[in-house]
Short mmCIF file of all heavy atoms in Angstrom, two decimals:
data_model
loop_
_atom_site.label_atom_id
_atom_site.label_comp_id
_atom_site.label_asym_id
_atom_site.label_seq_id
_atom_site.Cartn_x
_atom_site.Cartn_y
_atom_site.Cartn_z
N MET A 1 0.84 -1.18 0.00
CA MET A 1 0.00 0.00 0.00
C MET A 1 0.89 1.25 0.00
O MET A 1 1.88 1.31 0.71
CB MET A 1 -0.90 -0.02 1.23
CG MET A 1 -1.86 1.15 1.23
SD MET A 1 -2.94 1.21 2.66
CE MET A 1 -4.22 0.12 2.17
N ILE A 2 0.51 2.21 -0.76
CA ILE A 2 1.24 3.48 -0.87
C ILE A 2 0.82 4.38 0.29
O ILE A 2 -0.37 4.50 0.58
CB ILE A 2 0.94 4.16 -2.21
CG1 ILE A 2 1.38 3.27 -3.36
CG2 ILE A 2 1.61 5.52 -2.29
CD1 ILE A 2 0.82 3.67 -4.70
N THR A 3 1.80 5.01 0.91
CA THR A 3 1.50 5.92 2.02
C THR A 3 1.76 7.37 1.61
O THR A 3 2.52 7.63 0.68
CB THR A 3 2.36 5.59 3.26
OG1 THR A 3 3.73 5.86 2.95
CG2 THR A 3 2.20 4.14 3.68
N LEU A 4 1.14 8.28 2.33
CA LEU A 4 1.38 9.70 2.08
C LEU A 4 2.84 10.05 2.32
O LEU A 4 3.41 10.89 1.63
CB LEU A 4 0.47 10.56 2.96
CG LEU A 4 -1.02 10.51 2.65
CD1 LEU A 4 -1.80 11.34 3.65
CD2 LEU A 4 -1.30 10.97 1.24
N GLU A 5 3.45 9.38 3.29
CA GLU A 5 4.86 9.64 3.58
C GLU A 5 5.74 9.31 2.38
O GLU A 5 6.68 10.05 2.07
CB GLU A 5 5.30 8.82 4.79
CG GLU A 5 6.73 9.11 5.20
CD GLU A 5 7.13 8.34 6.45
OE1 GLU A 5 6.28 8.06 7.30
OE2 GLU A 5 8.33 8.01 6.55
N GLN A 6 5.44 8.23 1.67
CA GLN A 6 6.22 7.87 0.48
C GLN A 6 6.09 8.95 -0.60
O GLN A 6 7.08 9.31 -1.24
CB GLN A 6 5.75 6.52 -0.08
CG GLN A 6 6.09 5.35 0.79
CD GLN A 6 5.40 4.09 0.32
OE1 GLN A 6 4.18 4.06 0.13
NE2 GLN A 6 6.18 3.04 0.12
N ILE A 7 4.89 9.46 -0.78
CA ILE A 7 4.67 10.51 -1.77
C ILE A 7 5.40 11.78 -1.35
O ILE A 7 6.05 12.43 -2.18
CB ILE A 7 3.16 10.78 -1.95
CG1 ILE A 7 2.50 9.53 -2.57
CG2 ILE A 7 2.91 12.01 -2.82
CD1 ILE A 7 0.98 9.57 -2.58
N GLN A 8 5.34 12.12 -0.07
CA GLN A 8 6.04 13.31 0.43
C GLN A 8 7.54 13.19 0.17
O GLN A 8 8.18 14.16 -0.25
CB GLN A 8 5.79 13.50 1.92
CG GLN A 8 4.40 13.97 2.23
CD GLN A 8 4.09 13.96 3.71
OE1 GLN A 8 4.51 13.06 4.44
NE2 GLN A 8 3.34 14.95 4.16
N ILE A 9 8.11 12.03 0.42
CA ILE A 9 9.54 11.83 0.21
C ILE A 9 9.91 12.06 -1.25
O ILE A 9 10.91 12.71 -1.57
CB ILE A 9 9.97 10.42 0.68
CG1 ILE A 9 9.93 10.36 2.21
CG2 ILE A 9 11.36 10.06 0.15
CD1 ILE A 9 10.05 8.96 2.77
N ARG A 10 9.07 11.59 -2.16
CA ARG A 10 9.37 11.75 -3.58
C ARG A 10 9.20 13.20 -4.03
O ARG A 10 9.94 13.66 -4.89
CB ARG A 10 8.51 10.79 -4.40
CG ARG A 10 8.99 9.35 -4.16
CD ARG A 10 8.35 8.40 -5.06
NE ARG A 10 8.90 7.06 -4.82
CZ ARG A 10 8.74 6.05 -5.63
NH1 ARG A 10 8.03 6.20 -6.74
NH2 ARG A 10 9.26 4.87 -5.35
N ILE A 11 8.26 13.91 -3.45
CA ILE A 11 8.13 15.34 -3.76
C ILE A 11 9.37 16.07 -3.28
O ILE A 11 9.94 16.89 -4.01
CB ILE A 11 6.86 15.94 -3.11
CG1 ILE A 11 5.60 15.40 -3.79
CG2 ILE A 11 6.89 17.48 -3.17
CD1 ILE A 11 4.31 15.76 -3.08
N ILE A 12 9.81 15.77 -2.09
CA ILE A 12 11.00 16.40 -1.52
C ILE A 12 12.20 16.14 -2.43
O ILE A 12 12.97 17.05 -2.74
CB ILE A 12 11.25 15.89 -0.08
CG1 ILE A 12 10.15 16.39 0.85
CG2 ILE A 12 12.62 16.32 0.42
CD1 ILE A 12 10.09 15.66 2.18
N GLU A 13 12.38 14.90 -2.86
CA GLU A 13 13.49 14.54 -3.75
C GLU A 13 13.43 15.34 -5.05
O GLU A 13 14.44 15.86 -5.52
CB GLU A 13 13.45 13.05 -4.09
CG GLU A 13 13.82 12.13 -2.98
CD GLU A 13 13.59 10.66 -3.34
OE1 GLU A 13 13.13 10.37 -4.47
OE2 GLU A 13 13.87 9.81 -2.49
N ALA A 14 12.25 15.42 -5.64
CA ALA A 14 12.09 16.11 -6.92
C ALA A 14 12.43 17.59 -6.79
O ALA A 14 13.10 18.17 -7.66
CB ALA A 14 10.68 15.93 -7.46
N VAL A 15 11.99 18.20 -5.72
CA VAL A 15 12.27 19.62 -5.50
C VAL A 15 13.77 19.83 -5.33
O VAL A 15 14.37 20.71 -5.96
CB VAL A 15 11.49 20.17 -4.27
CG1 VAL A 15 11.99 21.55 -3.89
CG2 VAL A 15 10.00 20.21 -4.58
N ARG A 16 14.38 19.01 -4.52
CA ARG A 16 15.83 19.15 -4.28
C ARG A 16 16.64 18.89 -5.54
O ARG A 16 17.61 19.58 -5.81
CB ARG A 16 16.26 18.25 -3.14
CG ARG A 16 15.71 18.75 -1.81
CD ARG A 16 16.30 18.02 -0.64
NE ARG A 16 15.76 18.60 0.59
CZ ARG A 16 15.49 17.93 1.69
NH1 ARG A 16 15.74 16.63 1.74
NH2 ARG A 16 15.01 18.52 2.74
N GLN A 17 16.25 17.88 -6.30
CA GLN A 17 17.00 17.53 -7.52
C GLN A 17 16.83 18.57 -8.62
O GLN A 17 17.67 18.67 -9.52
CB GLN A 17 16.59 16.15 -8.03
CG GLN A 17 17.09 15.03 -7.15
CD GLN A 17 16.61 13.66 -7.62
OE1 GLN A 17 15.89 13.54 -8.60
NE2 GLN A 17 17.01 12.64 -6.91
N SER A 18 15.77 19.34 -8.56
CA SER A 18 15.52 20.33 -9.60
C SER A 18 16.55 21.46 -9.58
O SER A 18 16.79 22.09 -10.60
CB SER A 18 14.12 20.93 -9.45
OG SER A 18 14.08 21.85 -8.36
N GLY A 19 17.10 21.72 -8.40
CA GLY A 19 18.04 22.82 -8.27
C GLY A 19 17.35 24.18 -8.21
O GLY A 19 18.01 25.21 -8.08
N MET A 20 16.04 24.19 -8.29
CA MET A 20 15.29 25.45 -8.23
C MET A 20 15.13 25.87 -6.77
O MET A 20 15.02 25.02 -5.89
CB MET A 20 13.90 25.29 -8.86
CG MET A 20 13.91 25.03 -10.34
SD MET A 20 12.23 24.89 -11.01
CE MET A 20 11.71 26.60 -10.90
N THR A 21 15.11 27.16 -6.57
CA THR A 21 14.85 27.66 -5.22
C THR A 21 13.36 27.55 -4.91
O THR A 21 12.53 27.50 -5.83
CB THR A 21 15.27 29.13 -5.07
OG1 THR A 21 14.43 29.94 -5.91
CG2 THR A 21 16.74 29.34 -5.41
N GLN A 22 13.05 27.53 -3.65
CA GLN A 22 11.65 27.51 -3.26
C GLN A 22 10.92 28.75 -3.75
O GLN A 22 9.76 28.68 -4.15
CB GLN A 22 11.53 27.39 -1.74
CG GLN A 22 11.99 26.05 -1.22
CD GLN A 22 11.86 25.93 0.29
OE1 GLN A 22 11.15 26.70 0.93
NE2 GLN A 22 12.55 24.97 0.86
N THR A 23 11.62 29.86 -3.75
CA THR A 23 11.02 31.11 -4.23
C THR A 23 10.69 31.02 -5.70
O THR A 23 9.60 31.45 -6.13
CB THR A 23 11.97 32.29 -3.96
OG1 THR A 23 12.25 32.34 -2.55
CG2 THR A 23 11.38 33.60 -4.42
N ALA A 24 11.59 30.45 -6.50
CA ALA A 24 11.35 30.31 -7.94
C ALA A 24 10.18 29.36 -8.20
O ALA A 24 9.35 29.63 -9.09
CB ALA A 24 12.60 29.81 -8.65
N ILE A 25 10.11 28.29 -7.46
CA ILE A 25 9.00 27.35 -7.62
C ILE A 25 7.69 28.03 -7.26
O ILE A 25 6.70 27.91 -7.98
CB ILE A 25 9.24 26.09 -6.74
CG1 ILE A 25 10.42 25.29 -7.28
CG2 ILE A 25 7.98 25.23 -6.70
CD1 ILE A 25 10.90 24.19 -6.35
N ALA A 26 7.70 28.75 -6.16
CA ALA A 26 6.49 29.45 -5.71
C ALA A 26 6.01 30.44 -6.76
O ALA A 26 4.81 30.49 -7.06
CB ALA A 26 6.76 30.15 -4.39
N LYS A 27 6.94 31.22 -7.30
CA LYS A 27 6.56 32.20 -8.33
C LYS A 27 5.96 31.52 -9.54
O LYS A 27 4.94 31.96 -10.07
CB LYS A 27 7.78 33.02 -8.76
CG LYS A 27 8.01 34.26 -7.97
CD LYS A 27 9.10 35.07 -8.61
CE LYS A 27 9.16 36.45 -7.98
NZ LYS A 27 10.19 37.28 -8.59
N ALA A 28 6.60 30.45 -9.99
CA ALA A 28 6.13 29.75 -11.19
C ALA A 28 4.75 29.13 -10.98
O ALA A 28 3.96 29.06 -11.93
CB ALA A 28 7.13 28.67 -11.59
N LEU A 29 4.46 28.71 -9.77
CA LEU A 29 3.18 28.06 -9.48
C LEU A 29 2.14 29.02 -8.91
O LEU A 29 1.01 28.62 -8.63
CB LEU A 29 3.38 26.90 -8.50
CG LEU A 29 4.25 25.74 -9.00
CD1 LEU A 29 4.41 24.70 -7.91
CD2 LEU A 29 3.66 25.13 -10.27
N ASN A 30 2.55 30.26 -8.71
CA ASN A 30 1.67 31.29 -8.15
C ASN A 30 1.14 30.89 -6.77
O ASN A 30 -0.05 31.00 -6.48
CB ASN A 30 0.52 31.60 -9.11
CG ASN A 30 -0.13 32.93 -8.80
OD1 ASN A 30 0.50 33.84 -8.28
ND2 ASN A 30 -1.40 33.05 -9.11
N ILE A 31 2.07 30.40 -5.94
CA ILE A 31 1.77 30.06 -4.56
C ILE A 31 2.84 30.72 -3.70
O ILE A 31 3.83 31.23 -4.21
CB ILE A 31 1.73 28.53 -4.31
CG1 ILE A 31 3.07 27.87 -4.69
CG2 ILE A 31 0.58 27.90 -5.08
CD1 ILE A 31 3.13 26.38 -4.41
N SER A 32 2.66 30.68 -2.40
CA SER A 32 3.64 31.32 -1.53
C SER A 32 4.88 30.44 -1.33
O SER A 32 4.80 29.21 -1.44
CB SER A 32 3.02 31.64 -0.16
OG SER A 32 2.84 30.45 0.58
N GLN A 33 5.98 31.08 -1.00
CA GLN A 33 7.21 30.35 -0.71
C GLN A 33 7.01 29.49 0.52
O GLN A 33 7.55 28.39 0.62
CB GLN A 33 8.37 31.34 -0.53
CG GLN A 33 9.73 30.68 -0.32
CD GLN A 33 9.99 30.30 1.13
OE1 GLN A 33 9.56 30.98 2.05
NE2 GLN A 33 10.69 29.20 1.33
N GLN A 34 6.20 29.95 1.46
CA GLN A 34 5.93 29.19 2.67
C GLN A 34 5.22 27.88 2.34
O GLN A 34 5.48 26.85 2.97
CB GLN A 34 5.08 30.00 3.67
CG GLN A 34 5.82 31.15 4.29
CD GLN A 34 5.84 32.41 3.41
OE1 GLN A 34 5.24 32.45 2.34
NE2 GLN A 34 6.54 33.44 3.87
N THR A 35 4.35 27.92 1.34
CA THR A 35 3.65 26.70 0.93
C THR A 35 4.63 25.70 0.35
O THR A 35 4.59 24.51 0.68
CB THR A 35 2.55 27.03 -0.10
OG1 THR A 35 1.61 27.92 0.52
CG2 THR A 35 1.83 25.80 -0.57
N VAL A 36 5.54 26.16 -0.48
CA VAL A 36 6.57 25.28 -1.04
C VAL A 36 7.42 24.71 0.10
O VAL A 36 7.75 23.53 0.11
CB VAL A 36 7.45 26.00 -2.08
CG1 VAL A 36 8.56 25.10 -2.58
CG2 VAL A 36 6.60 26.51 -3.24
N SER A 37 7.73 25.54 1.07
CA SER A 37 8.51 25.09 2.23
C SER A 37 7.79 23.96 2.95
O SER A 37 8.42 22.99 3.38
CB SER A 37 8.76 26.26 3.18
OG SER A 37 9.45 25.83 4.32
N HIS A 38 6.49 24.06 3.08
CA HIS A 38 5.71 23.00 3.72
C HIS A 38 5.82 21.69 2.93
O HIS A 38 5.90 20.61 3.51
CB HIS A 38 4.25 23.39 3.87
CG HIS A 38 3.99 24.37 4.95
ND1 HIS A 38 4.22 24.12 6.29
CD2 HIS A 38 3.51 25.64 4.89
CE1 HIS A 38 3.90 25.18 7.01
NE2 HIS A 38 3.46 26.12 6.18
N TYR A 39 5.83 21.80 1.60
CA TYR A 39 5.98 20.59 0.77
C TYR A 39 7.35 19.96 0.99
O TYR A 39 7.47 18.74 1.13
CB TYR A 39 5.83 20.90 -0.72
CG TYR A 39 4.53 21.52 -1.14
CD1 TYR A 39 4.44 22.24 -2.33
CD2 TYR A 39 3.36 21.40 -0.39
CE1 TYR A 39 3.26 22.82 -2.75
CE2 TYR A 39 2.16 21.99 -0.81
CZ TYR A 39 2.13 22.69 -1.99
OH TYR A 39 0.96 23.26 -2.41
N VAL A 40 8.38 20.79 1.02
CA VAL A 40 9.75 20.29 1.16
C VAL A 40 9.98 19.70 2.55
O VAL A 40 10.70 18.72 2.69
CB VAL A 40 10.77 21.42 0.85
CG1 VAL A 40 12.19 20.98 1.17
CG2 VAL A 40 10.66 21.84 -0.61
N LYS A 41 9.35 20.26 3.55
CA LYS A 41 9.48 19.74 4.91
C LYS A 41 8.61 18.50 5.12
O LYS A 41 8.78 17.79 6.10
CB LYS A 41 9.06 20.80 5.93
CG LYS A 41 10.02 21.95 6.04
CD LYS A 41 9.50 22.95 7.05
CE LYS A 41 10.39 24.16 7.15
NZ LYS A 41 9.82 25.16 8.07
N GLY A 42 7.71 18.25 4.19
CA GLY A 42 6.81 17.12 4.35
C GLY A 42 5.64 17.41 5.27
O GLY A 42 4.96 16.49 5.72
N ASP A 43 5.40 18.69 5.55
CA ASP A 43 4.29 19.08 6.43
C ASP A 43 2.95 19.00 5.72
O ASP A 43 1.92 18.79 6.37
CB ASP A 43 4.47 20.51 6.95
CG ASP A 43 5.69 20.67 7.83
OD1 ASP A 43 6.13 19.66 8.43
OD2 ASP A 43 6.21 21.79 7.92
N LYS A 44 2.96 19.24 4.41
CA LYS A 44 1.72 19.28 3.62
C LYS A 44 1.95 18.62 2.28
O LYS A 44 3.08 18.56 1.80
CB LYS A 44 1.31 20.73 3.34
CG LYS A 44 0.80 21.51 4.49
CD LYS A 44 0.34 22.87 4.01
CE LYS A 44 -0.26 23.70 5.12
NZ LYS A 44 -0.73 25.00 4.64
N LEU A 45 0.86 18.19 1.69
CA LEU A 45 0.88 17.70 0.32
C LEU A 45 0.17 18.73 -0.55
O LEU A 45 -0.80 19.35 -0.12
CB LEU A 45 0.14 16.36 0.20
CG LEU A 45 0.85 15.15 0.76
CD1 LEU A 45 -0.08 13.94 0.73
CD2 LEU A 45 2.10 14.86 -0.02
N PRO A 46 0.64 18.91 -1.78
CA PRO A 46 -0.04 19.86 -2.66
C PRO A 46 -1.40 19.33 -3.12
O PRO A 46 -1.61 18.11 -3.17
CB PRO A 46 0.91 20.00 -3.85
CG PRO A 46 1.79 18.80 -3.80
CD PRO A 46 1.83 18.33 -2.39
N ALA A 47 -2.28 20.25 -3.45
CA ALA A 47 -3.55 19.88 -4.08
C ALA A 47 -3.23 19.19 -5.41
O ALA A 47 -2.13 19.36 -5.96
CB ALA A 47 -4.40 21.12 -4.30
N LEU A 48 -4.16 18.43 -5.91
CA LEU A 48 -3.92 17.65 -7.12
C LEU A 48 -3.49 18.51 -8.30
O LEU A 48 -2.54 18.17 -9.01
CB LEU A 48 -5.17 16.84 -7.47
CG LEU A 48 -5.02 15.80 -8.56
CD1 LEU A 48 -3.89 14.83 -8.25
CD2 LEU A 48 -6.33 15.04 -8.72
N ASP A 49 -4.15 19.65 -8.51
CA ASP A 49 -3.77 20.51 -9.62
C ASP A 49 -2.39 21.11 -9.41
O ASP A 49 -1.59 21.22 -10.34
CB ASP A 49 -4.81 21.60 -9.87
CG ASP A 49 -5.04 22.51 -8.68
OD1 ASP A 49 -4.83 22.08 -7.52
OD2 ASP A 49 -5.45 23.67 -8.91
N THR A 50 -2.07 21.45 -8.17
CA THR A 50 -0.74 21.97 -7.87
C THR A 50 0.31 20.90 -8.05
O THR A 50 1.40 21.16 -8.57
CB THR A 50 -0.69 22.54 -6.43
OG1 THR A 50 -1.71 23.53 -6.29
CG2 THR A 50 0.66 23.15 -6.12
N LEU A 51 0.00 19.68 -7.65
CA LEU A 51 0.93 18.57 -7.84
C LEU A 51 1.22 18.36 -9.32
O LEU A 51 2.37 18.18 -9.71
CB LEU A 51 0.39 17.29 -7.21
CG LEU A 51 1.26 16.05 -7.40
CD1 LEU A 51 2.63 16.22 -6.76
CD2 LEU A 51 0.56 14.82 -6.85
N ALA A 52 0.19 18.40 -10.15
CA ALA A 52 0.38 18.23 -11.59
C ALA A 52 1.28 19.32 -12.15
O ALA A 52 2.21 19.05 -12.93
CB ALA A 52 -0.97 18.24 -12.30
N ASN A 53 1.04 20.56 -11.75
CA ASN A 53 1.87 21.68 -12.22
C ASN A 53 3.29 21.60 -11.67
O ASN A 53 4.24 21.95 -12.36
CB ASN A 53 1.21 23.01 -11.86
CG ASN A 53 -0.02 23.27 -12.70
OD1 ASN A 53 -0.05 22.99 -13.88
ND2 ASN A 53 -1.06 23.79 -12.07
N LEU A 54 3.42 21.14 -10.43
CA LEU A 54 4.74 20.98 -9.82
C LEU A 54 5.55 19.93 -10.59
O LEU A 54 6.72 20.14 -10.90
CB LEU A 54 4.60 20.59 -8.35
CG LEU A 54 5.88 20.41 -7.56
CD1 LEU A 54 6.66 21.72 -7.46
CD2 LEU A 54 5.56 19.88 -6.16
N CYS A 55 4.91 18.82 -10.92
CA CYS A 55 5.59 17.78 -11.69
C CYS A 55 6.05 18.31 -13.04
O CYS A 55 7.18 18.05 -13.47
CB CYS A 55 4.67 16.57 -11.89
SG CYS A 55 4.41 15.61 -10.39
N LYS A 56 5.19 19.06 -13.69
CA LYS A 56 5.54 19.63 -15.00
C LYS A 56 6.71 20.60 -14.85
O LYS A 56 7.67 20.55 -15.62
CB LYS A 56 4.33 20.33 -15.60
CG LYS A 56 4.53 20.81 -17.00
CD LYS A 56 3.24 21.34 -17.59
CE LYS A 56 3.46 21.77 -19.02
NZ LYS A 56 2.22 22.26 -19.63
N LEU A 57 6.64 21.47 -13.86
CA LEU A 57 7.69 22.46 -13.63
C LEU A 57 9.03 21.80 -13.34
O LEU A 57 10.07 22.22 -13.85
CB LEU A 57 7.30 23.39 -12.47
CG LEU A 57 8.32 24.43 -12.05
CD1 LEU A 57 8.51 25.46 -13.16
CD2 LEU A 57 7.90 25.09 -10.76
N LEU A 58 9.01 20.76 -12.51
CA LEU A 58 10.25 20.11 -12.09
C LEU A 58 10.69 19.01 -13.06
O LEU A 58 11.71 18.38 -12.84
CB LEU A 58 10.07 19.51 -10.70
CG LEU A 58 9.69 20.47 -9.59
CD1 LEU A 58 9.53 19.72 -8.28
CD2 LEU A 58 10.70 21.60 -9.45
N ASP A 59 9.91 18.80 -14.11
CA ASP A 59 10.17 17.73 -15.07
C ASP A 59 10.26 16.39 -14.33
O ASP A 59 11.15 15.58 -14.56
CB ASP A 59 11.44 18.00 -15.88
CG ASP A 59 11.55 17.10 -17.10
OD1 ASP A 59 10.50 16.69 -17.63
OD2 ASP A 59 12.68 16.81 -17.52
N ALA A 60 9.32 16.21 -13.43
CA ALA A 60 9.25 14.98 -12.63
C ALA A 60 8.07 14.14 -13.12
O ALA A 60 7.01 14.67 -13.42
CB ALA A 60 9.07 15.32 -11.15
N ASP A 61 8.26 12.85 -13.19
CA ASP A 61 7.22 11.93 -13.62
C ASP A 61 6.17 11.80 -12.51
O ASP A 61 6.49 11.36 -11.40
CB ASP A 61 7.85 10.58 -13.93
CG ASP A 61 6.86 9.55 -14.43
OD1 ASP A 61 5.66 9.85 -14.57
OD2 ASP A 61 7.30 8.40 -14.69
N ALA A 62 4.95 12.19 -12.81
CA ALA A 62 3.88 12.13 -11.81
C ALA A 62 3.66 10.70 -11.33
O ALA A 62 3.36 10.48 -10.16
CB ALA A 62 2.58 12.70 -12.38
N ASN A 63 3.83 9.72 -12.20
CA ASN A 63 3.68 8.32 -11.78
C ASN A 63 4.74 7.96 -10.74
O ASN A 63 4.45 7.22 -9.80
CB ASN A 63 3.78 7.37 -12.97
CG ASN A 63 2.54 7.42 -13.83
OD1 ASN A 63 1.43 7.50 -13.32
ND2 ASN A 63 2.72 7.37 -15.13
N TYR A 64 5.94 8.47 -10.92
CA TYR A 64 6.99 8.22 -9.93
C TYR A 64 6.63 8.89 -8.60
O TYR A 64 6.72 8.27 -7.54
CB TYR A 64 8.35 8.73 -10.42
CG TYR A 64 9.42 8.61 -9.36
CD1 TYR A 64 10.00 7.38 -9.06
CD2 TYR A 64 9.83 9.72 -8.63
CE1 TYR A 64 10.94 7.26 -8.05
CE2 TYR A 64 10.77 9.62 -7.63
CZ TYR A 64 11.34 8.38 -7.34
OH TYR A 64 12.26 8.27 -6.34
N ILE A 65 6.22 10.15 -8.66
CA ILE A 65 5.88 10.90 -7.45
C ILE A 65 4.77 10.17 -6.68
O ILE A 65 4.78 10.08 -5.46
CB ILE A 65 5.44 12.34 -7.77
CG1 ILE A 65 6.58 13.12 -8.43
CG2 ILE A 65 4.92 13.06 -6.53
CD1 ILE A 65 7.78 13.38 -7.56
N LEU A 66 3.80 9.61 -7.42
CA LEU A 66 2.68 8.92 -6.80
C LEU A 66 2.96 7.44 -6.54
O LEU A 66 2.04 6.68 -6.26
CB LEU A 66 1.43 9.09 -7.66
CG LEU A 66 0.93 10.54 -7.79
CD1 LEU A 66 -0.19 10.63 -8.80
CD2 LEU A 66 0.51 11.09 -6.44
N CYS A 67 4.23 7.06 -6.67
CA CYS A 67 4.69 5.69 -6.35
C CYS A 67 4.04 4.64 -7.25
O CYS A 67 3.75 3.53 -6.81
CB CYS A 67 4.45 5.37 -4.88
SG CYS A 67 5.22 6.53 -3.75
N GLN A 68 3.82 4.99 -8.51
CA GLN A 68 3.24 4.06 -9.46
C GLN A 68 4.29 3.33 -10.29
O GLN A 68 3.94 2.49 -11.11
CB GLN A 68 2.26 4.79 -10.39
CG GLN A 68 1.08 5.38 -9.66
CD GLN A 68 0.27 4.34 -8.94
OE1 GLN A 68 -0.20 3.38 -9.54
NE2 GLN A 68 0.11 4.50 -7.64
N ASN A 69 5.55 3.69 -10.10
CA ASN A 69 6.63 2.96 -10.77
C ASN A 69 7.92 3.11 -10.01
O ASN A 69 8.03 3.80 -9.07
CB ASN A 69 6.82 3.38 -12.21
CG ASN A 69 7.13 4.87 -12.39
OD1 ASN A 69 7.35 5.60 -11.44
ND2 ASN A 69 7.15 5.30 -13.61
#
C-alpha cells in the first residue's frame, strides 16, 4: 500500500534535484514560498492541480511521485 509519507519523500526529492529555489518554484506556481517550504518539509501535500503543475515544472514523472513505478 502506498502511504502519504512515500509521496512526500518523492516530492522532496524532486524539489531538491531540480536545483530550483523555493522562491522560484512558488513564483512559477503562483503560490507562496511558505507553501513550497511545507511541501519540502513534508508538512503538507499539494492539491492535485498543484501537484500536476509541480511535476511539470520540475520535469518529474507524476507516476513516480505517486509511487506508481
